[in-house]
Amino acid sequence: MATTAGNKRLKLTDILVTIVIAVVFGVIYKIWGPTYDLMKPFGVHAEQMIYGMWFMAGTFAFVIIRKPGVAILAEVAASTVSAFLGSEWGMSTLVYGLLQGLGAEIFFAAFLYRKTNLFVTCLAAIGAAATSLLLDYQYGYIDSLSAWNYTLFIGFRFIGSILIAGVFAYYLAKALELTGVTRSLRPVSKQDYEALD
């Protein structure tokens, strides 16, 4: 779905809706921490399959709002809420939020913010996952692992990110659109006018 150049600027309504989405995800992020730990007994790096939840605010908010900066704003705001609720990762959560939002934003920007299909949303989820891995390495969260172990760790994180922050976020946003709630957030498109004929 295309967005015209004049409609790409964030309005106050867009920012407020993004913040509301981010607050909801910030609470979810805080709750998600123990869930992440519960996955560990299911196998080596099994917890990485649900890591993608921490990227979902950015991808979901962009599919709803479809404007530049939304993925970063949503992730930073959600991570801020999570940090203030007592995230076990402390203030580093904010750094993760910023870079994960940037990782998603890069892919939305690569398509000039004009495409919000499943493929682009999954690419944005991969971008967020990639930046999280860079930070994990920088912070020393990834221990020295064997090649197969790294492959499993990284592979599971990417797969989980695609499934949760890509596929699930996309279809959740589409389900919300079917309710009609999001119509007031975007201008009427050419297809909308044609549907009236």
Side-chain angles (χ1 to χ4, degrees):
M1 189 162 292
T3 305
T4 61
N7 294 325
K8 284 189 178 178
R9 293 180 59 199
L10 281 175
K11 297 176 185 169
L12 180 59
T13 307
D14 302 323
I15 294 169
L16 292 174
V17 170
T18 303
I19 296 298
V20 168
I21 290 169
V23 168
V24 171
F25 277 101
V27 173
I28 292 170
Y29 289 178
K30 173 58 184 153
I31 295 167
W32 203 247
T35 306
Y36 176 76
D37 292 332
L38 287 173
M39 287 293 290
K40 290 181 180 179
F42 289 101
V44 179
H45 305 307
E47 74 280 359
Q48 297 303 312
M49 290 294 288
I50 64 166
Y51 199 97
M53 177 57 78
W54 283 303
F55 317 140
M56 195 170 154
T59 54
F60 177 79
F62 181 80
V63 175
I64 296 294
I65 308 292
R66 303 177 188 176
K67 291 186 179 179
V70 167
I72 293 174
L73 176 61
E75 277 299 323
V76 169
S79 64
T80 302
V81 170
S82 177
F84 282 116
L85 288 175
S87 169
E88 49 267 57
W89 295 281
M91 296 311 281
S92 68
T93 306
L94 302 178
V95 178
Y96 272 88
L98 175 63
L99 289 184
Q100 288 165 183
L102 180 62
E105 194 80 34
I106 287 168
F107 283 95
F108 292 130
F111 290 89
L112 304 175
Y113 301 100
R114 292 176 183 228
K115 294 197 182 273
T116 55
N117 59 33
L118 180 60
F119 176 70
V120 174
T121 307
C122 288
L123 285 178
I126 290 170
T131 56
S132 75
L133 286 165
L134 290 173
L135 280 171
D136 280 359
Y137 180 78
Q138 185 68 30
Y139 278 111
Y141 294 152
I142 301 176
D143 297 326
S144 182
L145 303 172
S146 60
W148 74 267
N149 223 330
Y150 271 125
T151 304
L152 200 62
F153 183 92
I154 293 167
F156 279 176
R157 181 164 306 179
F158 280 130
I159 291 168
S161 300
I162 290 167
L163 292 175
I164 296 174
V167 176
F168 182 62
Y170 177 80
Y171 283 110
L172 182 63
K174 289 298 169 188
L176 191 61
E177 285 181 0
L178 289 176
T179 67
V181 171
T182 60
R183 284 190 192 138
S184 62
L185 300 175
R186 289 189 297 277
V188 178
S189 68
K190 182 180 176 186
Q191 290 89 355
D192 292 332
Y193 282 119
E194 288 172 354
L196 295 174
D197 292 336

